Amino acid sequence: MSKLREFVRLDFLTVKPYMTLKNLIICTAVAIFMAFTSASPSAAVSLLMVFGTIYATYPFAAGEKSGLDALYATLSVKRGTVVLGRYLFAQIFLALAGFFALFLSVAVLQFKGGVYGSAMNEAFITAIAMFLLCGILQAVQLPMIFKMGYIKSRLFANLPLIALGLMGMLVLLMFNDDDVNLSNIFGRIEAYPLAVVGIAVAAWLVCMFVSYKLSLAFYKKREF
Amino acid sequence: MNNILEVRGLCKNYSSFALKDVAFDVPYGYIMGFIGPNGAGKTTTLKLILNIIKPDSGGVSVFGRESSLAQNEDIGVVMDSPMYVDDWTVADVEKAISPFYRQWDKSLYAGYIKRFGLDPKKKVKELSRGMKVKLQIAAALSHNARLLILDEPTSGLDPVARDEICDLLREFVTDEDKSVLFSTHITSDLEKTADYITLIMDGGIMFTGAKDDLLETYARVTGGPDDLNAEQKKLVIGRREHGTGFEGMVETANINKLPKDVLTEDISLEEIIIFMNKGVQIHE
């Protein structure tokens, strides 16, 4: 257990050099711009969590560049711990991105004034939905990266992310009339909250479990 | 039990290279030089010992027990290039790896960093090759390792830096419970430091034993163009002929089978590798 904890900590140290103030300012500025130009903070929350999903794969990139997979073995870290640790890191990182996005939403809403309660509700539901959705995206991405390595899998592994972006645009286009808008969807979700959350969490868990098993099988066969 | 490391019949097949039945022992309290030309299988063997890769067959025993990942905690590792994130600072390296070692000694690491003149705030990518090796050595010596495994640590270093590293290794084995397995193709370093030598060539072990035994097993031989008959030519390993005669290596046991006119003399480790490698190529 302590090795797992230390491994997750090591992943945070691995991405630390990339978590520069410049990158944080750019991400925050884009998110604030989106929050101001759109009617709700949901767009900003979604954007920041997509950034979080991208950053969560950075330990693979840094690891491949510096031969960290061999380092893990010299540190007596088993391959199963590496895979589980990487999944934990990705989820913790995504959750932190979500918290930051919510914090930013509160700040923007304070600045804008207006319907604080319902907008915050929407941002909160968006953060949870994005956490589950990005988690499922990672569940698709991670086995590919564990099998082929970061560089070789980059094209395939980013396809789900591109698909998510296209899906988002499609949804906005489809519901771009007054009768059916995003607020209505959130309304429906709020009407059956338990069922929706139950289905989403179950789907997330199944995806994560299958993905973890695949990644473990692939990573055990890798040679460094 | 006199061996800190026992390697038994290691085999590993790749599409373009195979490690064939590699076997050798490293005794307690000594430095074993692991030599061979580039691509001979040195790094693959070290990776197998460290459980970084799995063998197709054969096994490794470390500290008297079958090798496992857990035993790496007692092994200090120095690779050709450091397995650290380029943007980590010298201080970050300690933060990253120390939690994985129960016997990590913070003051020892600080001492080595100071002794080697490493700036804790400097990034790994900003260090020279020699400094990178020293950083790895500092880490390898700061967790009370009993076995040091080094993969080409001195290649690309100037003679002063190489000598400094050789001194460190000699200092390490003053404790007779500790040993060093030192892979290199710079044989002059081993002539100064190694007690034992394992010579690997084309994935197979050609010799393993005391360094002096290896140097006494072979001799350098030179002579005129017509000094050797066909049978005698077969005794000369890696024979190279030129306008004024030939040169090569011969087993000392075969010296009396050569004519008295040829000149035999002591041979260096480097010459053994060169002639042996040439012999392997001719054989192929």
Side-chain angles (χ1 to χ4, degrees):
Chain A
M1 196 62 187
S2 71
K3 288 261 184 204
L4 182 64
R5 194 181 58 231
E6 294 308 339
F7 182 80
V8 174
R9 193 177 154 277
L10 179 60
D11 263 359
F12 274 101
L13 264 173
T14 304
V15 297
K16 193 184 106 180
Y18 304 102
M19 301 279 99
T20 57
L21 192 62
K22 188 182 87 182
N23 286 351
L24 186 69
I25 289 170
I26 292 170
C27 290
T28 309
V30 174
I32 290 174
F33 174 77
M34 286 195 75
F36 271 103
T37 52
S38 64
S40 77
S42 298
V45 170
S46 304
L47 184 80
L48 280 173
M49 293 191 74
V50 169
F51 282 154
T53 308
I54 295 168
Y55 269 113
T57 59
Y58 271 38
F60 288 100
E64 206 159 295
K65 194 177 162 203
S66 309
L68 293 187
D69 290 298
L71 174 74
Y72 304 148
T74 66
L75 296 176
S76 309
V77 182
K78 290 178 182 165
R79 292 196 180 204
T81 308
V82 172
V83 175
L84 187 58
R86 196 55 55 81
Y87 272 76
L88 273 176
F89 165 78
Q91 298 321 298
I92 293 169
F93 198 88
L94 197 55
L96 289 175
F99 284 125
F100 178 66
L102 285 174
F103 168 77
L104 209 66
S105 300
V106 173
V108 169
L109 287 169
Q110 287 275 18
F111 190 80
K112 279 174 81 175
V115 279
Y116 186 82
S118 66
M120 218 30 236
N121 247 359
E122 194 181 310
F124 185 69
I125 293 171
T126 303
I128 292 176
M130 281 303 288
F131 178 80
L132 295 172
L133 193 63
C134 290
I136 291 171
L137 279 181
Q138 287 173 336
V140 178
Q141 278 187 323
L142 294 179
M144 287 190 249
I145 307 178
F146 273 113
K147 184 173 172 63
M148 293 184 268
Y150 181 79
I151 292 172
K152 280 186 188 168
S153 70
R154 204 159 39 180
L155 175 68
F156 302 109
N158 282 329
L159 284 179
L161 214 57
I162 296 164
L164 177 72
L166 291 173
M167 216 166 71
M169 282 168 63
L170 207 66
V171 167
L172 285 174
L173 284 173
M174 278 171 66
F175 298 110
N176 197 17
D177 62 69
D178 291 338
D179 296 330
V180 192
N181 58 30
L182 280 177
S183 301
N184 286 349
I185 296 172
F186 285 121
R188 285 178 197 184
I189 290 171
E190 278 174 323
Y192 308 99
L194 280 180
V196 173
V197 169
I199 291 167
V201 170
W204 184 87
L205 283 172
V206 169
C207 288
M208 280 294 164
F209 180 74
V210 173
S211 173
Y212 166 73
K213 287 286 181 189
L214 281 173
S215 294
L216 190 62
F218 292 145
Y219 192 60
K220 279 188 172 172
K221 287 182 188 162
R222 284 281 300 280
E223 297 255 316
F224 313 115
Chain B
M1 192 223 6
N2 298 316
N3 298 321
I4 196 164
L5 173 71
E6 293 178 356
V7 178
R8 294 280 168 265
L10 278 185
C11 293
K12 180 81 181 170
N13 283 297
Y14 293 103
S15 54
S16 57
F17 171 76
L19 208 63
K20 294 157 278 186
D21 201 24
V22 167
F24 60 90
D25 299 330
V26 179
Y28 275 99
Y30 292 100
I31 297 176
M32 162 80 80
F34 192 35
I35 56 172
N38 289 333
K42 298 190 295 291
T43 300
T44 305
T45 305
L46 298 186
K47 282 184 174 178
L48 287 166
I49 292 169
L50 290 166
N51 282 288
I52 293 173
I53 52 175
K54 297 264 173 271
D56 294 333
S57 61
V60 176
S61 157
V62 191
F63 315 121
R65 282 174 289 147
E66 197 184 333
S67 167
S68 68
L69 265 186
Q71 283 170 321
N72 285 354
E73 194 165 329
D74 292 321
I75 301 176
V77 181
V78 178
M79 299 303 268
D80 181 24
S81 56
M83 300 175 289
Y84 306 138
V85 175
D86 280 346
D87 286 292
W88 279 348
T89 62
V90 170
D92 284 338
V93 169
E94 184 186 19
K95 278 185 211 158
I97 66 170
S98 62
F100 293 93
Y101 294 108
R102 272 171 296 183
Q103 298 197 61
W104 183 266
D105 189 331
K106 211 172 167 56
S107 58
L108 208 55
Y109 184 76
Y112 280 117
I113 293 302
K114 198 174 170 190
R115 176 175 166 183
F116 296 151
L118 287 158
D119 178 355
K121 288 178 189 161
K122 218 161 190 183
K123 288 182 176 178
V124 172
K125 66 180 177 191
E126 293 165 351
L127 300 175
S128 66
R129 178 158 159 69
M131 285 301 194
K132 282 178 184 171
V133 172
K134 284 178 182 173
L135 173 61
Q136 289 189 84
I137 290 178
L141 296 177
S142 297
H143 58 90
N144 200 22
R146 288 188 281 156
L147 173 63
L148 274 190
I149 293 183
L150 304 98
D151 188 18
E152 306 275 4
T154 53
S155 66
L157 298 189
D158 63 70
V160 177
R162 276 171 31 212
D163 195 54
E164 212 176 339
I165 287 165
C166 291
D167 281 345
L168 268 168
L169 301 183
R170 277 193 294 260
E171 194 182 306
F172 182 76
V173 292
T174 49
D175 179 343
E176 50 191 38
D177 285 333
K178 294 178 174 177
S179 304
V180 175
L181 176 61
F182 178 7
S183 135
T184 184
H185 57 262
I186 304 173
T187 49
S188 56
D189 294 337
L190 294 179
E191 277 172 3
K192 283 183 278 182
T193 54
D195 307 290
Y196 290 86
I197 295 286
T198 293
L199 171 58
I200 187 168
M201 204 137 312
D202 196 30
I205 298 294
M206 307 295 282
F207 174 88
T208 184
K211 179 180 71 183
D212 294 341
D213 288 349
L214 175 63
L215 293 172
E216 283 165 15
T217 303
Y218 298 100
R220 190 173 190 277
V221 57
T222 51
D226 304 318
D227 284 349
L228 302 178
N229 61 32
E231 280 304 304
Q232 289 167 333
K233 278 182 181 174
K234 285 180 191 166
L235 299 175
V236 181
I237 302 161
R239 182 167 45 84
R240 186 167 27 188
E241 289 184 350
H242 40 78
T244 55
F246 75 94
E247 62 176 350
M249 180 174 78
V250 67
E251 283 185 34
T252 43
N254 290 330
I255 287 177
N256 56 3
K257 295 175 187 166
L258 299 178
K260 295 218 167 16
D261 295 344
V262 298
L263 176 70
T264 57
E265 53 195 339
D266 287 346
I267 194 163
S268 66
L269 282 174
E270 188 167 313
E271 285 171 324
I272 292 176
I273 294 181
I274 291 168
F275 289 127
M276 199 83 94
N277 193 38
K278 208 158 174 274
V280 169
Q281 284 167 5
I282 289 165
H283 186 69
E284 281 171 346

